Structures are given as C-alpha cells and as structure tokens.
C-alpha cells in the first residue's frame, strides 16, 4: 500500500514498503519516519524491554534502508503528517543501507550527480519531475496519434553524420567508422518519402558539443515530428503550438497543485496562437530597446533570446514566441528558402521564457535545389547519397521540428540547469554513473 492511501485505512492493519528517512530513538518510544514515493509516515513503537524483538529490529535500522512494515493505522492529532501514524507489528529490512550516507542536505551539485539514485530517492521534487515528464510525453503522444502520426524508431548508428558533421561522435564499427545520430532528421524525412505521412519519434540525440552551459547535454531526448503535404512552415508551427498546449493542459490538470507546492511554479496553459516574429523584426525590436551587441547580427545569442522573450511577454502577455525567417547562412542546407527573399529560410525557433526549446522548418524537397543548397554549404553529396536519393522519386513537400524534452522540463519547472531535468546527465565532463 502507498503511504498516501493510509487515511482510507484508519484503524486497520496495513503493509507499507519504503525507505527509512529518520530515526528518533527515545528512552520510552522509538519513532521512525518511513518514506515511499507518495509520502511519509511515522512509525511509533513503545519500547517493551528485553523480550521485545521489534524494539531490537528498530534499534538496528539505518537511514535509507529499504523496509517492509506491517502495522495498524491510528489517528494522532499531535502528528504533523496527516494526523496519523503506524503502530508497527513487524518490520522487515529488505535492503540494508550502509550506516554512513555519501550525501546529505548540504552536498554540492556534482557530488549529488555522482549519487543520483540517492538524490532522486530522497527529494520529492526529483520524483515529481519524472512523473511530470511521463504525463507531458503521454500528452504529446496522444496528440500526435490523434492527428494521425505514426510513431517511428529510427537508427542511432549511422554511416555518416546526420546534420552538420561538426558535432558528431565517431565510434569504431567492425573496422570502419560509425556515427551517433545528432538528430533523426534524415530518417524522419525518409519516412515521409516512404509514404508515412506524419511521423513522430521520441528518442536519444547525441551531440559532441564541448558546451558547459546549463542548457546543453551531449545526450538528450528529442521529440521529433515530420508532416507531409504541408503548404508551408505555418502548418508546422500550428501543429507544434497545438501539441504543446495539449500536453501542458494535461500536466496542469494532473500535477498543477504539486508543481506549485514543490517548485513554486504555476503551470499555465498557453493561449493559441503563439506570437510569431520574423528574425529581422526581432532584431529591430531589440535594437530599439538599445541592445545590439557586435556579432549578434544574423542570429540571437542566449541573452538576445531572453531579452526578446521578455519584450514579447510585455507586449502580448505570452511566454512563447516563434522566431521565423532565419537567414540561410546560419541554417542547415535542408531548410526551404523563401521564394520572395531567397536569403531567408522558412524556418523557426520556438522560445519559451527566453530559452530555445525547438527548431523547425519547411524542408526543401526538390532534389536539384537540395543539391544546390548542400553545395553552397560546401557539403559533398556522396556521404549523404542515401538521404538525397529519397528526394529523387516523388518526395512530397513536408516540414517538421525537433523539441528538446529536458529544455521543456527546465522551463516548465523553473530549473536552473539541464542536469536537474534528466535522470542521468551526460556532458563533456560526465559519463558516469
Ligand atoms: P536543433 O539542433 O535545434 O534542431 O535541436 C532541436 C532541439 O533540441 C534541443 N537541443 C538540446 N538539448 C540539450 N542539449 C543540447 N546540446 C541540445 N541541442 C539541441 C533544443 C533544440 O531546439 N534536426 C533539427 C530539428 C528539425 O528541424 O526538425 C535539430 O536537431 O531544444
């Protein structure tokens, strides 16, 4: 039985499994707090003297030992934890914890990551995060399925790099090289060429970026969507904003109160449509506010993204903004270009409270144009031959996006670092545990 179910069993004998949180072994009484993922309950045992085997068992407990307790649920107004406690009849140690724990409330972040299983087990916030992630993903998946998407699982081992080639992990593969997928990009487009009209994938993404920021990981979970027969990038943005709104509404409904309690954050379901702003307009807006650092001409740096999001929020009250029409020079070769302004792509980034959570675009689906755009970027067609072949035999127009799951959780729960938003973080300096 879960601790949170105990109030329904007042006066009855129950069995609870959990971990020893604290021990208060007094002269007459022994108090033990036992925690499971749903809450904490106090065991209260009156010492019975030398023949009392239960007293001896309780005396030998260590914090964080895994125990199974059978006892009677009694009401006690003096107890802070819901006004009830358990009078134990039997306590069984199923997994004894060593007496000295490697972390406590004062342990720094890196050492907490070394002992992540203890860190997650002991903090209700961390437990809640994974419940929220599960609900959010379920919301995305339910929306995608209702919209006719097929869920795909594309290879993560590739014979050539999947995006730019610069940030790729290379590994030995039976006497030659293989690469870890930097994105399902090529394969989700290939699925479109395969006649699977709308595809959805949640899977690992690998980036060999030597980035030590609070928002970069070398391995993360990507949520990817690709839609066939799109009339333009607007269709892709419409899909994404509806998908996010659906998933956030589910999170608000299931976890809104707990998120407020544990993270101090209010989950608001965003209004549709999200504001859209072309990159050139975004930069004008920022310049008008007196922000124009050298080097941020074509792109927005993280500070620019934060400022822009703050301005948009001031003006529209919206936490999200699609920044569109990025210059072709800073976008991948497979982004479609604007017919009116060929220097601009039909692409977007989605910012949430100033953090980039998505990149998306209408794709270039015409083989000869794609070849030309690749050549402009200095990319040789040979390593991408299998990808490019998908555009030679009747590929429909299409577009899609990639969403970083951990980035969404960071913003949703107000976390300072991506390290807190994943179970086991991977970065340039961290490959363990
Ligand atoms: P992009 O490279 O922008 O686009 O990645 C998509 C989204 O993934 C997240 N993200 C990251 N999260 C954690 N650590 C990282 N190092 C990291 N890098 C990116 C961000 C980002 O917006 N193929 C395109 C998507 C597409 O056009 O469909 C792509 O991968 O939230």
């Amino acid at each position: 039985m879960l601790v949170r179910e105990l109030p329904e069993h007042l006066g009855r004998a129950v069995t609870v499994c959990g971990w020893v949180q604290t021990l208060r072994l007094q002269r007459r009484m022994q108090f033990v707090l036992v925690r499971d993922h749903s809450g904490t309950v106090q065991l209260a045992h009156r010492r019975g003297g030398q023949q009392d085997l239960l007293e001896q068992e309780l005396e030998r407990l260590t914090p964080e030992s895994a125990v199974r307790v059978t006892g009677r649920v009694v009401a006690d107004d003096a107890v802070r934890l819901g006004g009830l406690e358990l009078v134990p009849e039997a306590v069984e140690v199923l997994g004894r914890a060593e007496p000295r724990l490697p972390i406590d409330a004062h342990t720094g972040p890196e050492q907490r990551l070394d002992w992540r299983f203890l860190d997650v087990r002991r903090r209700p916030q961390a437990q809640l995060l994974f419940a929220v992630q599960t609900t959010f993903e379920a919301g995305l998946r339910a929306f995608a399925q209702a919209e006719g998407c097929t869920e795909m699982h594309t290879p993560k081992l590739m014979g050539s790099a999947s995006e730019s080639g610069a940030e790729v992990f290379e590994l030995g593969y039976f006497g030659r090289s293989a690469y870890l997928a930097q994105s399902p990009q090529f394969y989700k487009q290939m699925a479109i060429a395969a006649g699977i009209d709308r595809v959805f994938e949640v899977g690992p993404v690998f980036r060999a970026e030597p980035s030590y920021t609070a928002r970069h990981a070398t391995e993360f979970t990507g949520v990817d969507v690709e839609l066939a027969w799109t009339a333009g990038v607007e269709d892709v943005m419409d899909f994404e904003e509806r998908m996010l709104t659906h998933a956030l509404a589910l999170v608000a409904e299931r976890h809104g109160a707990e998120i407020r309690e544990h993270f101090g954050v209010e989950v608001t379901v965003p209004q549709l449509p999200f504001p859209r702003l072309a990159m050139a307009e975004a930069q004008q807006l920022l310049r008008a506010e007196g922000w124009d650092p050298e080097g941020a001409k074509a792109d927005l740096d993280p500070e620019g993204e934060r400022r822009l999001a703050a301005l948009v929020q001031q003006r529209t009250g919206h936490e999200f903004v699609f920044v569109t029409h990025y210059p072709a020079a800073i976008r991948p070769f497979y982004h479609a270009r604007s017919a009116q302004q060929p220097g601009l792509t039909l692409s977007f980034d989605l910012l949430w409270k100033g953090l980039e959570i998505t990149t998306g675009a209408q794709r270039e689906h015409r083989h000869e144009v794609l070849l030309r755009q690749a050549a402009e970027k200095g990319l040789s067609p040979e390593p991408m031959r299998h990808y490019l072949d998908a555009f030679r035999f009747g590929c429909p127009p299409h577009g899609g996006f990639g969403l970083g799951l951990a980035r969404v959780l960071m913003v949703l729960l107000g976390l300072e670092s991506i390290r807190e938003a994943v179970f086991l973080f991977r970065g340039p300096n961290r490959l363990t545990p």
Side-chain angles (χ1 to χ4, degrees):
M1 169 169 312
L2 293 177
V3 166
R4 74 158 170 259
E5 295 163 349
L6 292 179
E8 300 153 31
H9 297 271
L10 210 57
R12 291 208 286 271
V14 297
T15 299
V16 168
C17 294
W19 289 271
V20 173
Q21 180 157 305
T22 49
L23 292 158
R24 265 192 309 134
L25 304 173
Q26 301 176 345
R27 203 157 58 82
R28 289 214 175 83
M29 295 291 295
Q30 292 168 304
F31 295 106
V32 182
L33 282 189
V34 172
R35 178 194 70 236
D36 70 8
H37 70 83
S38 75
T40 309
V41 65
Q42 173 166 279
L43 314 185
H45 178 65
R46 183 172 297 283
R47 290 182 189 270
Q50 287 199 336
Q51 305 306 314
D52 185 353
L53 295 179
L54 183 57
E55 174 181 334
Q56 290 162 26
E57 192 61 72
L58 292 173
E59 206 67 14
R60 284 197 298 269
L61 287 179
T62 50
E64 293 307 322
S65 284
V67 293
R68 177 161 51 210
V69 183
T70 300
R72 208 159 32 81
V73 186
V74 300
D76 185 340
D77 290 341
V79 180
R80 268 183 296 130
L81 300 159
L84 56 80
E85 60 186 14
L86 264 188
V87 176
E89 285 150 18
V91 173
E92 210 182 326
V93 176
L94 304 177
R96 182 171 294 280
E98 294 179 20
R100 276 179 61 85
L101 291 176
I103 60 170
D104 61 25
H106 309 290
T107 306
E110 283 301 319
Q111 208 186 335
R112 281 202 287 118
L113 290 192
D114 288 338
W115 294 97
R116 184 68 168 149
F117 72 93
L118 276 178
D119 180 46
V120 169
R121 188 204 291 170
R122 288 154 51 94
R123 282 192 304 125
Q125 288 104 315
Q127 296 281 331
L128 177 57
L129 181 135
F130 299 111
V132 170
Q133 176 175 287
T134 302
T135 301
F136 181 70
E137 257 183 79
L140 296 178
R141 188 171 275 114
F143 178 86
Q145 281 175 356
E147 292 283 321
C149 290
T150 301
E151 186 158 1
M152 305 298 285
H153 301 286
T154 61
K156 303 307 157 199
L157 283 172
M158 301 178 73
S160 59
S162 51
E163 291 258 342
S164 66
E167 298 163 350
V168 63
F169 285 113
E170 187 176 351
L171 53 144
Y173 194 77
F174 305 111
R176 59 190 174 109
S177 285
Y179 305 90
L180 289 177
Q182 295 155 293
S183 147
Q185 185 65 41
F186 286 4
Y187 297 133
K188 61 180 179 169
Q189 290 190 259
M190 211 176 270
I192 297 296
I196 308 170
D197 268 4
R198 303 186 132 202
V199 297
F200 168 75
E201 175 163 0
V202 180
V205 173
F206 301 92
R207 301 279 166 100
E209 284 174 282
S211 297
Y212 298 84
T213 73
R215 60 187 190 286
H216 285 96
T218 49
E219 176 178 352
F220 62 92
T221 302
V223 177
D224 275 86
V225 169
E226 203 68 29
L227 308 170
W229 313 106
T230 44
V233 66
E234 271 298 323
D235 289 352
V236 183
M237 291 189 282
D238 286 351
F239 187 98
E240 183 173 20
E241 64 188 8
R242 287 189 299 121
M243 185 182 209
L244 282 174
T245 304
H246 179 85
L248 289 174
L250 201 63
V251 169
E253 180 194 314
R254 290 211 189 139
H255 307 287
E258 287 172 288
I259 292 176
R260 190 179 311 119
E261 179 192 345
H262 289 290
F263 291 95
V265 178
E266 199 61 44
V267 182
T268 48
V269 182
Q271 296 286 315
L272 292 173
F274 296 0
R276 287 136 164 80
L277 204 59
M279 181 62 155
E281 292 171 76
Q283 292 193 326
Q284 248 173 26
L285 202 63
L286 285 168
R287 272 196 291 274
E289 295 292 319
W291 186 85
D292 190 17
E294 209 44 46
K297 296 277 184 281
D299 206 352
L300 293 175
D301 64 5
E303 178 57 19
E305 290 178 340
R306 272 192 294 276
R307 285 173 182 253
L308 180 68
L311 285 174
V312 172
Q313 184 158 21
Q314 257 172 31
R315 287 168 193 217
T316 65
H318 217 290
E319 292 175 351
F320 290 83
V321 55
F322 283 114
V323 182
T324 65
H325 297 90
Y326 281 76
I330 58 164
R331 295 305 246 195
F333 74 97
Y334 55 78
H335 283 190
R337 311 253 169 109
S338 154
Q340 296 77 32
Q341 296 167 285
L344 300 181
T345 54
L346 301 178
S347 73
F348 63 88
D349 273 9
L350 176 60
L351 312 183
W352 185 13
K353 293 191 186 170
L355 183 69
E356 178 206 315
I357 58 166
T358 290
T359 296
Q362 177 75 4
R363 318 302 185 184
E364 180 49 67
H365 70 286
R366 294 162 299 177
H367 184 243
E368 65 291 356
V369 183
L370 196 56
L371 281 179
R372 195 169 67 228
Q373 291 186 180
E376 271 176 31
K377 300 256 177 203
L379 297 171
S380 149
E382 188 43 35
M384 299 191 283
R385 190 163 49 86
H386 297 292
Y387 168 67
L388 293 169
D389 281 349
F391 299 88
R392 291 172 52 202
F393 300 96
C395 186
H398 60 283
F401 62 87
L403 170 78
L405 185 61
R407 295 241 179 129
V408 171
L409 286 165
M410 275 175 76
V411 184
L412 178 62
L413 302 176
L415 305 174
E416 296 211 329
S417 168
I418 194 166
R419 290 163 180 70
E420 301 280 340
V422 293
F423 180 42
L424 296 166
F425 172 71
R426 287 289 178 260
N429 282 343
R430 183 161 286 277
L431 267 174
T432 54

